[in-house]
Amino acid sequence: MSHEQDSIFIRNFIGVIGMLVGVTILLIIIATVLYEADTEGQRELAIERAERNLAPVGEVRLTGEPMPATMQQASAEEASDEPRSGEEVTQAVCIACHQGNFQNAPAVGDQDAWGERIGKGWETLVSNVYDGYGNMPAQGGSATEEEIRAAIEYMVEDETGLEIPES
Ligand code: HEC
């Protein structure tokens, strides 16, 4: 190879390398601009996803403890559409315990069992159901106050014929 050919080769070689370096820098700049433009939203999204993935699958709720806030919110949203009737609430929420005197829960329509309790009056009964009472966990997360009142009216007054005094 002659000197002349050598220098042509070196010149072309340097030219090609230079071009590649230029393209690389250009790509880095484009990537940086694109990344910067979207990091804020993406970071928030990533944090949100991570939090969702790390959240516990379930929570243990002990007797008398209120519902976890997330469940309260979910059921309040569900319930906010239209209040359910007393019978609907009873069947959906209360019947699990108030059918066979589970843990001393007075059964729907059981005159003797309810007779001992109704003297407390409406206000106390509703708030005891909403906040929880004795062996009954708080039902405030599963039904609104209005629905609880309707359910009590159904399972006590309608089904036993007893009348709960106002308090
Ligand atoms: C997880 C079981 C359970 C569910 C669900 C439940 N209850 Fe109860 N409830 C009980 C038990 C147990 C008692 C008796 C509590 C005690 O005296 O220790 C009780 C008592 C009551 C009392 C009497 C409270 C008092 O002050 O004497 C009312 C009223 C009542 N429940 C209404 C309801 C209504 C309405 C619902 C549905 C919205 C409901 N319960 C859902 C278990 C339950």
Side-chain angles (χ1 to χ4, degrees):
M1 231 187 272
S2 70
H3 269 297
E4 202 181 329
Q5 276 175 322
D6 271 353
S7 59
I8 289 171
F9 172 77
I10 287 170
R11 210 175 49 228
N12 286 347
F13 187 73
I14 288 173
V16 169
I17 294 288
M19 209 172 70
L20 287 176
V21 168
V23 168
T24 306
I25 289 171
L26 194 75
L27 286 176
I28 288 173
I29 290 170
I30 291 173
T32 312
V33 168
L34 288 179
Y35 179 75
E36 287 292 323
D38 218 30
T39 40
E40 209 33 56
Q42 279 184 343
R43 206 173 299 144
E44 263 171 35
L45 209 71
I47 290 172
E48 202 181 299
R49 275 199 203 126
E51 276 173 358
R52 202 175 330 130
N53 291 342
L54 289 173
V57 179
E59 285 179 55
V60 175
R61 183 160 62 106
L62 300 176
T63 305
E65 274 185 3
M67 286 264 189
T70 45
M71 284 178 72
Q72 277 187 3
Q73 212 178 8
S75 47
E77 275 165 17
E78 253 173 45
S80 68
D81 287 333
E82 185 127 316
R84 293 165 288 179
S85 76
E87 189 174 354
E88 280 168 351
V89 175
T90 304
Q91 294 303 335
V93 183
C94 324
I95 203 73
C97 307
H98 284 275
Q99 193 164 37
N101 297 95
F102 173 71
Q103 288 196 331
N104 206 27
V108 176
D110 183 334
Q111 231 178 38
D112 292 341
W114 283 112
E116 296 168 13
R117 295 181 187 258
I118 57 173
K120 297 174 182 182
W122 269 113
E123 207 177 304
T124 310
L125 290 178
V126 172
S127 73
N128 283 354
V129 177
Y130 195 88
D131 298 328
Y133 174 79
N135 290 328
M136 173 167 56
Q139 302 302 313
S142 313
T144 63
E145 213 175 295
E146 190 185 346
E147 290 175 329
I148 287 170
R149 207 184 152 94
I152 298 175
E153 193 176 328
Y154 166 75
M155 71 163 99
V156 185
E157 292 193 330
D158 295 357
E159 295 292 307
T160 66
L162 297 169
E163 233 179 72
I164 302 170
E166 287 297 333
S167 53

